Amino acid sequence: MKHTLAIIGYGGMGGFHHNSIKEKVGCIRVKGAFDIRPEAMAKAREAGLHAYGSLDELLADQEVDLITVATPNDVHRPLVIRCLEAGKNVVCEKPVALNAAELKDMIAASRRTGKLFSVHQNRRWDRDYRIVVEAIRSGMIGKPYFIESRVQGSHGSVSGWRGQKQHGGGMLLDWGVHMLDQLMDMTPEPVIEVSACLQKVFGGEVDDNIKVNLRFGNGLSALMEMATNCFISLPRWHISGTEGTLIIHDWDCGGQIVQSNNQRFALPDEHPDWSEYYINIADTLDGKAQLIVKPEQALRVMRVIDTIFAAEEQRGGISCQI
Ligand code: NAD
């Protein structure tokens, strides 16, 4: 069945959703968009979309069965709940909410209305992440016991609403949520300890350089680092396993696996695409698949984020069971 989608928030990411669905997801038609900024509405019109005059007009459109919310983070919760209560299925950009309590309200609305609700954790379809997943699944490095995951940029401070606390700015909620989602997607065992260093080097009110240490119940430890002022990057991934070590240098996915006796192996050949996220959404709505990015998984991530903010406040590790 062909689904009809509308986008709320037609900024950078709203335009991205439109273009990538148009190019690659035949089972979804993007009909229109609503944004509070007239310039964004003009951009949507130029891109061939119906520009809704109000949120109410969008929600009343009976053709639309799926809505993507791509606004700044602080308005995700009220918008998602309104869309669900209007009988729409909803995809929400990450971070889905500012904290676990907000997300619980959104999940409750989804259960109450029986409508699909998912979070756009598109980086589960990143090539580097899929190589890691496949290398672990195939046993090439044995049992992983220490994972280092890093995203290091050199643009300095975070800008626009991302630099403002009230809008859910900061790197933990921006990049950290992707990196945590990946680590927790590949590790279903509970997180039992969290410690963090969230620095505000350039921006003032939000974290712009972060390091997070996690311990999982199966003995795995992970270090996650996101930097905005790094001019000599460390590898995107470095994983120690009982049978070998994996390295992925950067987004181009150069790297290797080395086992004992210095045996070297090429990384698994993976070519995922972000459009697979929306194909899964359409297939789930059609009863042909299970939802891959479940809101309950996002809740687990948000609970860790709550714990990280608390750990940072008391500057120490926090034992937990998430
Ligand atoms: P942006 O500032 O470029 O766009 C946000 C748009 O939302 C703006 O046009 C703004 O006018 C509009 N808006 C604000 N409040 C609104 C409201 N109440 N109703 C309707 N429109 C409203 O920001 P962006 O970079 O597109 O980020 C949007 C969301 O996408 C954020 O949650 C961000 O974290 C997420 N994002 C995700 C990825 C990813 O890889 N998944 C990448 C970038 C951004």
Side-chain angles (χ1 to χ4, degrees):
M1 166 186 171
K2 187 115 178 165
H3 297 276
T4 302
L5 180 141
I7 298 169
I8 301 179
Y10 202 74
M13 208 54 195
F16 170 86
H17 281 276
H18 176 202
N19 291 329
S20 63
I21 292 171
K22 194 167 67 177
E23 264 176 44
K24 294 180 181 165
V25 188
C27 49
I28 298 179
R29 171 177 76 113
V30 184
K31 178 174 179 183
F34 170 69
D35 196 292
I36 51 173
R37 283 186 307 125
E39 315 88 87
M41 295 305 284
K43 196 178 97 182
R45 244 180 250 111
E46 274 165 32
L49 292 180
H50 174 69
Y52 292 97
S54 67
L55 181 58
D56 285 337
E57 190 204 324
L58 185 158
L59 296 178
D61 186 338
Q62 293 303 313
E63 259 193 327
V64 170
D65 65 333
L66 180 60
I67 292 176
T68 292
V69 173
T71 61
N73 308 334
D74 55 318
V75 281
H76 288 175
R77 175 188 170 278
L79 286 171
V80 165
I81 292 176
R82 265 196 82 182
C83 294
L84 290 166
E85 286 179 343
K88 309 298 187 189
N89 301 295
V90 182
V91 164
C92 183
E93 259 305 343
K94 51 51 60 178
V96 61
L98 302 188
N99 52 52
E102 286 195 356
L103 177 53
K104 278 186 195 159
D105 293 346
M106 296 152 97
I107 293 175
S110 163
R111 291 190 182 144
R112 202 164 54 238
T113 57
K115 291 292 156 187
L116 176 146
F117 171 42
S118 178
V119 186
H120 189 235
Q121 294 295 167
N122 49 324
R123 290 192 177 277
R124 288 203 203 167
W125 285 267
D126 275 8
R127 191 167 159 230
D128 59 286
Y129 175 62
R130 293 301 271 263
I131 290 171
V132 165
V133 169
E134 179 53 24
I136 292 173
R137 191 205 59 76
S138 65
M140 289 178 86
I141 59 169
K143 187 175 180 222
Y145 57 87
F146 189 53
I147 299 182
E148 293 173 48
S149 168
R150 288 190 174 83
V151 172
Q152 295 174 312
S154 55
H155 295 298
S157 67
V158 277
S159 59
W161 60 262
R162 281 182 178 76
Q164 294 166 5
K165 200 170 167 52
Q166 71 174 106
H167 294 301
M171 277 300 148
L172 181 59
L173 286 170
D174 194 44
W175 261 103
V177 77
H178 280 305
M179 298 167 82
L180 273 173
D181 177 71
Q182 291 179 339
L183 287 169
M184 295 177 75
D185 177 48
M186 69 171 117
T187 320
E189 288 82 4
V191 174
I192 57 167
E193 194 176 300
V194 176
S195 65
C197 173
L198 306 186
Q199 291 179 296
K200 300 171 184 171
V201 183
F202 300 101
E205 57 182 88
V206 298
D207 53 277
D208 51 19
N209 286 272
I210 64 177
K211 286 187 182 65
V212 175
N213 293 292
L214 299 173
R215 276 188 55 217
F216 289 87
N218 62 351
L220 173 72
S221 287
L223 165 66
M224 179 187 116
E225 180 178 3
M226 201 286 147
T228 59
N229 190 47
C230 178
F231 302 94
I232 304 174
S233 296
L234 290 164
R236 168 73 186 91
W237 295 92
H238 187 280
I239 306 187
S240 306
T242 50
E243 307 296 326
T245 307
L246 172 147
I247 190 165
I248 299 178
H249 299 294
D250 52 30
W251 300 116
D252 292 336
C253 294
Q256 62 180 327
I257 289 170
V258 182
Q259 295 179 350
S260 58
N261 302 324
N262 212 18
Q263 291 188 84
R264 287 159 195 273
F265 298 89
L267 295 169
D269 195 24
E270 294 288 315
H271 296 279
D273 192 284
W274 285 1
S275 59
E276 290 169 39
Y277 173 84
Y278 272 110
I279 292 168
N280 173 255
I281 295 290
D283 284 350
T284 304
L285 288 172
D286 295 345
K288 293 193 286 196
Q290 296 283 319
L291 192 61
I292 294 176
V293 182
K294 299 175 186 61
E296 293 74 17
Q297 293 174 312
L299 182 59
R300 216 177 139 224
V301 171
M302 287 313 306
R303 288 178 62 208
V304 169
I305 287 181
D306 285 358
T307 308
I308 290 171
F309 280 130
E312 170 60 10
E313 261 177 37
Q314 70 172 47
R315 304 254 170 195
I318 286 195
S319 297
C320 52
Q321 200 60 231
I322 299 171

